[in-house]
Amino acid sequence: MAEARDVVRIPDAKVALSTASVYPESTATAFEIAARLGYDGVEVMVWTDPVSQDIEALRRLSDYHRIPVLAVHAPCLLITQRVWSTDPWTKLQRARAAAEKLGASTVVVHPPFRWQRQYARDFVDGIWRMANETDVRFAVENMYPWRYRDREMLAYAPDWDVTKEDYRHFTIDLSHASTSRTDTLRMVERMGDRLGHVHLADGRGSAKDEHLVPGRGDQPCAEVLEGLARSGFDGHVVIEVNTRRAMSSAEREADLAEALAFTRLHLASASSPSSLSSPSSLSSPSSLRVPRR
């Protein structure tokens, strides 16, 4: 009997560029770079750039560059508290409408800030209600405690560790996992088959959210991607890195090309047929799941 050969298993996951990755350049520039480098699409970070808030402008960019919008990141940051309304539920409704009109499959949302008390109290149930009204995934993203010197402030509610709550879909952000000093692989296990979206970036455990190019920190970026490949992950892997220190547009683009090459390399996971069917921490949903509703 012939020996089983190793096979390369490439998942259906698309690799997208977050428009935040080109800051301080524009949303429009992100579409241009994504198309030129060969990304499969973009995730639009809705923020202070007026183009990021304008669905028709985004549609024109998508059509012109032939680069689809795969996800919409709702305006949940401190600097976007007044973008698309000051009411957080209105923001999510508009993010869902944008995703539906642009053909995006996912809305990324952060857990509420603790001072958004009523929103935080209703958040888990409210996300389920909204998820039941659309085919768009609401993928809730892991965050981190805020730290200053030896002090720690819990800024998010119900919790920065979203696996402690009952959500239909999760986004894992590896830079946020680094900042929270969380075991990333264990968090992926806890998310199980409800992991629907990945923000890929590296970190070194700093109190600052670093968003390094994958491979430049100590996060298990390669292991996570290889595990996704073994499991047949069909969500999106989004490059969300900080290129603000780039000295030129060419240097920024080189960083984004490196991130894309790293991601594609490790998504092409070499596995033997026998190992594809055997359980591992990343190749099958973990038993450490939050119960489904």
Side-chain angles (χ1 to χ4, degrees):
M1 180 176 178
E3 292 184 5
R5 293 174 178 264
D6 282 356
V7 297
V8 174
R9 181 181 175 89
I10 301 176
D12 294 331
K14 289 181 166 55
V15 183
L17 178 66
S18 169
T19 59
S21 295
V22 306
Y23 183 83
E25 296 195 62
S26 66
T27 300
T29 300
F31 278 84
E32 179 184 345
I33 292 174
R36 187 159 56 242
L37 294 180
Y39 280 83
D40 297 318
V42 300
E43 175 178 302
V44 173
M45 171 69 79
V46 180
W47 57 0
T48 54
D49 180 349
V51 171
S52 75
Q53 305 169 30
D54 186 330
I55 295 172
E56 288 309 312
L58 293 169
R59 194 199 308 277
R60 289 194 295 272
L61 284 168
S62 178
D63 290 345
Y64 179 78
H65 292 289
R66 298 182 181 181
I67 196 84
V69 176
L70 299 179
V72 174
H73 195 308
C76 321
L77 307 176
L78 281 173
I79 63 170
T80 60
Q81 291 301 288
R82 296 186 176 276
V83 172
W84 278 358
S85 169
T86 56
D87 175 65
W89 291 114
T90 300
K91 290 173 182 285
L92 295 190
Q93 289 163 1
R94 292 190 65 173
R96 179 187 67 192
E100 290 171 342
K101 290 176 182 177
L102 293 167
S105 64
T106 303
V107 168
V108 179
V109 58
H110 293 180
F113 294 112
R114 295 188 76 85
W115 55 83
Q116 296 174 303
R117 293 182 181 177
Q118 187 60 50
Y119 179 46
R121 278 196 292 270
D122 298 339
F123 184 69
V124 178
D125 289 338
I127 289 293
W128 271 96
R129 282 195 302 272
M130 294 191 74
N132 287 332
E133 295 169 356
T134 180
D135 291 332
V136 173
R137 293 177 173 181
F138 281 87
V140 187
E141 183 174 4
N142 62 302
M143 297 305 291
Y144 47 84
W146 291 0
R147 294 189 181 91
Y148 178 71
R149 294 182 179 173
D150 58 347
R151 293 188 176 185
E152 183 175 289
M153 183 175 82
L154 300 179
Y156 299 96
D159 203 286
W160 61 263
D161 181 351
V162 294
T163 64
K164 293 182 179 179
E165 302 299 330
D166 180 14
Y167 300 114
R168 182 176 292 172
H169 292 109
F170 294 110
T171 296
I172 190 163
D173 185 303
L174 275 69
S175 178
H176 294 177
S178 176
T179 303
S180 66
R181 297 165 190 170
T182 297
D183 184 326
T184 302
L185 297 180
R186 291 284 291 171
M187 180 169 276
V188 170
E189 284 187 6
R190 293 197 299 275
M191 290 180 174
D193 60 358
R194 287 190 283 176
L195 174 59
H197 201 70
V198 176
H199 280 171
L200 190 69
D202 219 326
R204 301 190 187 98
S206 167
K208 295 180 180 179
D209 186 18
E210 297 170 287
H211 284 275
L212 304 176
V213 170
R216 298 185 185 177
D218 57 18
Q219 281 294 290
C221 298
E223 292 92 330
V224 168
L225 291 170
E226 290 161 7
L228 295 176
R230 289 194 297 273
S231 69
F233 179 73
D234 63 355
H236 304 319
V237 177
V238 178
I239 304 299
E240 192 182 77
V241 296
N242 184 344
T243 63
R244 294 177 207 177
R245 293 185 179 180
M247 300 301 292
S248 66
S249 295
E251 184 178 332
R252 174 173 292 109
E253 193 163 323
D255 284 347
L256 298 177
E258 179 184 330
L260 177 60
F262 180 100
T263 303
R264 292 210 189 282
L265 172 66
H266 291 287
L267 276 176
S269 174
S271 302
S272 67
S274 60
S275 69
L276 289 173
S277 61
S278 62
S280 72
S281 61
L282 287 172
S283 64
S284 63
S286 169
S287 59
L288 298 172
R289 296 198 197 111
V290 183
R292 288 182 181 275
R293 289 192 174 190

